[in-house]
Amino acid sequence: MYYLQYLNWLYVGLWIAGFLVISGGLFYLNKTRSRWRKWLNPILVVILIRLIFFYNIGSWAFYYTVLDASDVGFRQIAAINYKIKRFLVFPEEETKYLAVGSSQTGAVYGRYSKKAKNFMTFYMPGMGAPDMYLYRNEIADLKPEHILLYLCEFDLARQVDLNLAKISPDQGFHLFFLYKDLKKIAEKYDSEQALKELLVGEVLIEYKYAYIFKGLTNKAFTVFKKKKKNSAEDNNPLKLNTDLQDHIKGLKAKLNQDDIALNIEFLKRFLSFCRQRNIKVTIIEGQYHPEAYDSHTLGLNRIVKKELASVSQQYSNVTFIPREDLIIFTADDYVDAYHVTGPNRDLFLEDVLSRTGMQ
Amino acid sequence: MLFNSFQFLFFFTIVYLLYRNLNHRWQNRLLLAASYIFYGSWDWRFLSLILTSTVVDYFCGLKIEHASAAGRRKLFLCISLACNLGLLGFFKYFNFFAGNLGLLLSKIGLATDISTLNIILPVGISFYTFQTLSYTIDIYRGKLKPEKNFFDFALFVSFFPQLVAGPIERASSLLPQVCNPRKILASDIREGLFYIVWGYYLKICLADNMALIVNDVFAASATITGPEAILGIYGFAFQIFGDFAGYSFIAIGVSKLMGFHLMTNFLFPYFVTNPSAFWRNWHISLSTWLRDYLYIPLGGNRNGVFLTYRNLFLTMLLGGLWHGAGWTFVLWGAYHGIILIIFRLAGEKSSPGTPEKASNPILTFFKIAGMFQLTCFGWLIFRAEDITQIKQMLTAIVCNMTFSSGTWFYYAATIIFYGWLVFVVQILQKKHNSLLIYENISYKTSLAFYMVVFYMTIVWGEFGGGQFIYFQF
């Protein structure tokens, strides 16, 4: 209901017109028993179904209301949320500052964005540089003047996951330009199947968003099944220290120097895109649990920091703020290996806001 | 290269585009090359086996025909049998027999060390060896003339749509289609596309979604409840039907697009009232092969009641063993042999070609439901990893019929959700005695059918590239 005030009424009008035209066409074809009906009927029926289930804010709002992360996945529920926003027009002052990134971004900026009138977040669990690029149009549609990125080796020394890319928005003809790089990723990470599914999803929207309907049926079928409660990202502290150690181990295991170059390449594309649209970008060097810092992660940090500093020199719209220039989070600030919820978060935010001129 | 893979779609598109633009002779050469590429995509080493079988049977066929002495004819038949059954026996059953022999010897106090080998089971070996055996046996029986063109014969053996999982074609049916120019009619395209679409639905939507339930149930057989066990078994009944019938339909459909007419392999196996009828509706190409090349040569039903039952039992036992080198398969075959005998003793046997007698529909319903339970009990034996698992499942059914966990509802709802369309289609097919339902329904119903199949497959299909169950045979 909150979003009704931002509804794109022009789109709504076009949708209603389209619905009436297609329905009318179907009615006419079948009433007059036109000789074209055998061919046109299936096409019009498919278009009508797509209008109702995929190009209709009401449907997306329904999916978002009924489903949750345990039904479809954290990333998927965030994708549905941003799909709704594509039907909305936000006043430009509300999206002047936009924090983009993974769930870490949500943890750091989420609470502030709810209070601030000119600050919004655009985050998705696991969002990396390639995902930022794939979501560039959705980000640009919010018309931000200034984007904040929270990046470090945690994001940029990580394997690119094409399995998540396949639920990203349609790339249209741009896919032809992207294909070579996506193929490179698929070959490097043995995810050819995910690439094929991404391509099929570009053609068949039903396939791309199949997870929604599978989630709905799964939810209906498991109505009597007792569910395990999922721990929310920044609310439930880990119960035992052993969980934290496992989480830290998992974090470190995902980081690899070989993955940096590909991630930086996509980051540069995203920054170029922002530059073309006169969007300022501030890259704030990210942090994670101090117990995860060791020779491996600090070695990666040196490489990534150098890359980020270089990128800020290359792109006139980009500023880089290394972590040493800001408040360093302590172990008490973390609810797990990388999500910040503790007391220093507010101090950190004040620091960021004053440095970026947002305050 | 699985049918439900992008590689196969790409492969077949290329082959078909070329095929439609070539004359008969070049079509055959293209198909032969494509068939070897298709088969070699699993493991190029398997090609040596199929080539061996092809060469041996080609020459044996010619020799049998030209031999005047009965002894020489029998010799070449034996060579063909030895080669094909030898290949099958070695690659499929060596480890099974070696392992069991070692176990038996150790049980009687003879300590021995019989090594098993690291043998890879070549895909489809059970299918093409039976297919080529039917060729040499039919020549020996005087029912068929040998094919002189080696390449046409090789295509008969290796024809890719039906190479790895059937239908097991007879030479008298398929060879003439290979050797003579083929016409592709508009009706063939329509039928072919229907079979392909329906086959993909059965595999991707029904079978692969049932597999998720079935694997869960059988993985937890020690701790599941009775309702979960029952639903898991029902799920497997639909999984194996969807998987195998789906593959057969795709094979038949792909062949139709190229002007080949393969035999129907599945009809309405879960809408029958007795085991004889089941085997006339399930894996028809195998059951007829076993009838013609095993049951009848053993004597069939010509030598009295006891020998008839013996022949039935042996045929089903070996039919079970054909499915796999494992005691559960043997037990499954024996089980079907026993219920066939029991039903015969009870006087329940419908002859082929005669329709089921119109009887009280309620009684028929209960007979069908009862036969389905018997079939499912057989599937339990077939699917279980070992006898222990069979016991666990049965214990759950008998001693743990509790509905307290909501999981049974999830399984039931899933089975109904993915199975309802198959149920409806089978009813329509049986009612009109035709698999091609579009011939007997209105245009709007036909459109609705294709829309439902399209959306169910695209949205709810499991595209994980699930292996076809029968590939392991």
Side-chain angles (χ1 to χ4, degrees):
Chain A
M1 295 309 286
Y2 165 75
Y3 286 138
L4 266 179
Q5 58 185 308
Y6 300 118
L7 201 55
N8 184 343
W9 291 105
L10 175 62
Y11 180 86
V12 172
L14 286 171
W15 187 92
I16 293 172
F19 182 84
L20 290 171
V21 164
I22 302 290
S23 314
L26 270 170
F27 178 77
Y28 173 78
L29 271 176
N30 290 288
K31 189 123 173 94
T32 57
R33 291 186 163 261
S34 159
R35 65 193 172 102
W36 294 104
R37 70 180 182 137
K38 273 195 177 165
W39 299 104
L40 285 177
N41 262 339
I43 296 170
L44 292 179
V45 166
V46 168
I47 293 173
L48 198 62
I49 290 173
R50 285 182 175 186
L51 267 180
I52 295 168
F53 288 102
F54 301 108
Y55 296 110
N56 169 9
I57 188 176
S59 299
W60 288 100
F62 172 76
Y63 307 146
Y64 189 69
T65 309
V66 172
L67 296 169
D68 56 45
S70 62
D71 299 316
V72 293
F74 285 107
R75 186 63 178 269
Q76 285 77 353
I77 204 74
I80 296 173
N81 184 26
Y82 290 119
K83 197 72 187 168
I84 295 173
K85 288 182 175 166
R86 288 230 69 186
F87 296 100
L88 306 174
V89 181
F90 291 97
E92 284 182 25
E93 55 271 17
E94 287 196 24
T95 59
K96 190 172 175 188
Y97 298 101
L98 188 68
V100 175
S102 68
S103 54
Q104 277 195 308
T105 296
V108 171
Y109 299 108
R111 211 168 58 167
Y112 174 74
S113 76
K114 288 185 174 104
K115 291 186 300 193
K117 287 192 167 47
N118 60 357
F119 192 100
M120 203 179 252
T121 52
F122 188 107
Y123 73 91
M124 298 183 82
M127 187 178 228
D131 303 304
M132 282 179 206
Y133 185 67
L134 291 173
Y135 277 90
R136 65 198 179 286
N137 289 319
E138 276 64 29
I139 292 167
D141 278 353
L142 293 169
K143 296 187 176 44
E145 282 183 20
H146 195 152
I147 286 177
L148 296 175
L149 301 178
Y150 187 79
L151 294 173
C152 67
E153 59 279 12
F154 171 71
D155 311 276
L156 299 171
R158 201 160 22 112
Q159 179 176 316
V160 176
D161 190 350
L162 271 186
N163 284 306
L164 297 176
K166 72 185 183 197
I167 62 164
S168 62
D170 299 333
Q171 301 300 308
F173 288 110
H174 196 80
L175 192 65
F176 289 112
F177 302 105
L178 265 180
Y179 180 74
K180 212 171 91 182
D181 294 310
L182 294 175
K183 185 96 177 106
K184 222 184 335 179
I185 296 171
E187 280 162 3
K188 187 175 170 147
Y189 300 113
D190 195 24
S191 47
E192 302 268 9
Q193 180 69 16
L195 176 62
K196 285 169 191 159
E197 290 176 359
L198 190 154
L199 295 173
V200 174
E202 287 286 321
V203 176
L204 290 172
I205 195 171
E206 296 85 356
Y207 183 76
K208 183 189 273 291
Y209 295 110
Y211 66 86
I212 292 171
F213 303 98
K214 284 184 181 174
L216 287 169
T217 46
N218 208 49
K219 194 175 185 91
F221 298 164
T222 55
V223 68
F224 296 118
K225 233 176 155 180
K226 287 188 188 128
K227 280 191 192 155
K228 283 188 222 166
K229 209 172 170 200
N230 276 308
S231 54
E233 282 174 353
D234 55 2
N235 283 337
N236 296 339
L238 293 168
K239 290 186 281 296
L240 299 166
N241 194 40
T242 46
D243 289 337
L244 173 64
Q245 294 309 318
D246 282 341
H247 212 216
I248 288 173
K249 221 160 120 186
L251 181 162
K252 290 199 275 189
K254 285 184 204 166
L255 304 184
N256 197 329
Q257 188 178 337
D258 286 343
D259 297 323
I260 294 174
L262 200 52
N263 279 299
I264 293 289
E265 208 179 297
F266 274 100
L267 176 64
K268 284 181 180 174
R269 287 186 197 198
F270 179 71
L271 297 175
S272 289
F273 177 83
C274 291
R275 185 169 57 184
Q276 283 162 16
R277 282 154 185 76
N278 295 318
I279 301 172
K280 273 199 285 195
V281 179
T282 299
I283 302 175
I284 291 148
E285 189 184 351
Q287 302 176 45
Y288 41 91
H289 201 289
E291 285 184 38
Y293 295 141
D294 60 15
S295 56
H296 170 61
T297 53
L298 290 173
L300 292 172
N301 176 258
R302 278 193 288 277
I303 300 168
V304 167
K305 204 201 281 288
K306 205 168 148 193
E307 290 282 357
L308 291 176
S310 155
V311 145
S312 70
Q313 303 287 325
Q314 255 184 288
Y315 294 87
S316 53
N317 61 321
V318 178
T319 310
F320 173 57
I321 304 178
R323 59 171 75 132
E324 295 76 34
D325 291 357
L326 296 165
I327 294 201
I328 299 288
F329 294 117
T330 65
D332 288 338
D333 290 314
Y334 287 91
V335 71
D336 55 24
Y338 38 83
H339 291 115
V340 167
T341 58
N344 281 322
R345 178 170 57 175
D346 294 334
L347 293 171
F348 177 85
L349 266 166
E350 270 180 39
D351 213 352
V352 165
L353 295 174
S354 72
R355 278 174 183 275
T356 53
M358 279 163 44
Q359 225 167 22
Chain B
M1 204 189 302
L2 299 170
F3 275 176
N4 55 329
S5 68
F6 289 109
Q7 288 96 316
F8 178 75
L9 289 174
F10 179 72
F11 164 83
F12 182 63
T13 305
I14 304 288
V15 167
Y16 193 61
L17 287 172
L18 290 169
Y19 181 86
R20 291 301 302 261
N21 290 291
L22 294 172
N23 62 26
H24 171 249
R25 208 166 114 219
W26 282 99
Q27 281 180 342
N28 282 3
R29 287 174 187 173
L30 169 71
L31 286 179
L32 184 61
S35 298
Y36 286 144
I37 292 170
F38 179 82
Y39 194 59
S41 68
W42 266 279
D43 191 325
W44 62 268
R45 295 170 296 179
F46 294 166
L47 288 170
S48 59
L49 300 174
I50 196 172
L51 279 168
T52 304
S53 183
T54 305
V55 168
V56 166
D57 287 328
Y58 172 76
F59 284 109
C60 284
L62 290 171
K63 291 290 186 190
I64 291 170
E65 174 71 8
H66 292 122
S68 44
R72 263 184 87 76
R73 288 165 56 81
K74 206 170 237 175
L75 170 69
F76 286 110
L77 176 65
C78 290
I79 293 172
S80 169
L81 286 169
C83 171
N84 286 295
L85 295 177
L87 282 175
L88 187 61
F90 176 75
F91 282 95
K92 200 164 171 180
Y93 300 108
F94 178 84
N95 282 341
F96 174 66
F97 285 115
N100 282 286
L101 180 63
L103 203 64
L104 180 70
L105 290 173
S106 66
K107 278 201 166 24
I108 61 173
L110 291 171
T112 182
D113 181 23
I114 298 180
S115 338
T116 53
L117 304 174
N118 190 17
I119 301 173
I120 305 168
L121 177 63
V123 171
I125 192 168
S126 307
F127 291 89
Y128 68 74
T129 49
F130 270 35
Q131 187 154 308
T132 53
L133 274 177
S134 78
Y135 171 77
T136 46
I137 295 172
D138 281 352
I139 293 173
Y140 178 80
R141 287 174 174 175
K143 288 182 177 175
L144 188 72
K145 292 281 175 219
E147 174 53 45
K148 290 190 173 65
N149 185 318
F150 176 76
F151 296 106
D152 283 351
F153 176 72
L155 178 56
F156 156 71
V157 177
S158 64
F159 185 50
F160 75 86
Q162 46 90 236
L163 172 60
V164 294
I168 303 170
E169 285 293 321
R170 303 298 177 87
S172 54
S173 167
L174 186 56
L175 256 179
Q177 297 185 69
V178 169
C179 301
N180 300 315
R182 297 169 287 274
K183 264 196 182 147
I184 304 171
L185 307 172
S187 58
D188 291 333
I189 305 283
R190 229 174 7 252
E191 283 176 36
L193 289 173
F194 170 78
Y195 282 130
I196 290 170
V197 162
W198 188 235
Y200 274 117
Y201 176 84
L202 286 175
K203 169 57 181 167
I204 293 169
C205 206
L206 179 67
D208 287 352
N209 277 298
M210 291 296 104
L212 301 175
I213 298 176
V214 172
N215 292 343
D216 267 352
V217 166
F218 280 84
S221 54
T223 55
I224 49 167
T225 62
E228 289 163 13
I230 291 171
L231 289 164
I233 295 165
Y234 287 170
F236 182 68
F238 297 126
Q239 179 194 357
I240 196 165
F241 175 73
D243 202 280
F244 201 9
Y247 185 95
S248 288
F249 283 129
I250 297 170
I252 291 168
V254 163
S255 304
K256 272 243 192 271
L257 293 182
M258 296 189 285
F260 287 91
H261 305 281
L262 303 185
M263 67 180 294
T264 303
N265 213 12
F266 288 85
L267 287 169
F268 327 108
Y270 297 145
F271 289 90
V272 296
T273 57
N274 61 72
S276 296
F278 174 79
W279 285 104
R280 282 197 303 281
N281 284 261
W282 179 274
H283 202 173
I284 299 166
S285 63
L286 176 69
S287 58
T288 51
W289 194 100
L290 290 171
R291 180 197 64 201
D292 294 341
Y293 300 107
L294 190 57
Y295 176 69
I296 291 174
L298 281 173
N301 60 2
R302 295 190 303 270
N303 299 321
V305 169
F306 174 74
L307 286 176
T308 300
Y309 293 157
R310 181 207 68 175
N311 298 337
L312 262 177
F313 185 78
L314 279 176
T315 302
M316 295 315 299
L317 195 72
L318 290 171
L321 189 62
W322 176 90
H323 281 78
W327 287 113
T328 50
F329 297 113
V330 176
L331 205 58
W332 174 76
Y335 168 75
H336 270 276
I338 290 167
I339 60 171
L340 268 167
I341 292 168
I342 292 172
F343 271 74
R344 280 206 176 213
L345 282 168
E348 278 278 342
K349 155 181 93 96
S350 50
S351 311
T354 57
E356 302 265 358
K357 268 192 266 182
S359 59
N360 185 332
I362 296 173
L363 182 65
T364 306
F365 169 79
F366 280 107
K367 279 184 175 180
I368 290 173
M371 184 59 216
F372 181 68
Q373 308 313 311
L374 287 176
T375 307
C376 285
F377 183 78
W379 288 137
L380 167 61
I381 302 170
F382 188 92
R383 174 61 173 80
E385 282 166 20
D386 48 38
I387 311 289
T388 308
Q389 193 165 59
I390 298 172
K391 285 186 192 161
Q392 285 170 344
M393 298 285 278
L394 291 173
T395 305
I397 292 167
V398 171
C399 305
N400 195 14
M401 282 301 287
T402 165
F403 291 85
S404 54
S405 93
T407 313
W408 70 268
F409 180 80
Y410 167 69
Y411 291 158
T414 305
I415 290 171
I416 292 168
F417 183 76
Y418 292 109
W420 73 270
L421 184 63
V422 180
F423 183 78
V424 167
V425 167
Q426 286 260 284
I427 298 252
L428 282 172
Q429 288 172 329
K430 193 161 168 65
K431 182 182 170 194
H432 297 285
N433 206 32
S434 166
L435 294 175
L436 304 170
I437 57 164
Y438 60 82
E439 289 177 340
N440 299 300
I441 54 179
S442 68
Y443 162 72
K444 280 191 183 151
T445 312
S446 195
L447 176 64
F449 165 76
Y450 281 112
M451 286 284 120
V452 169
V453 167
F454 170 72
Y455 279 104
M456 289 284 298
T457 308
I458 294 295
V459 176
W460 282 281
E462 269 299 315
F463 288 90
Q467 182 82 288
F468 286 87
I469 297 175
Y470 265 71
F471 277 15
Q472 63 190 297
F473 309 138

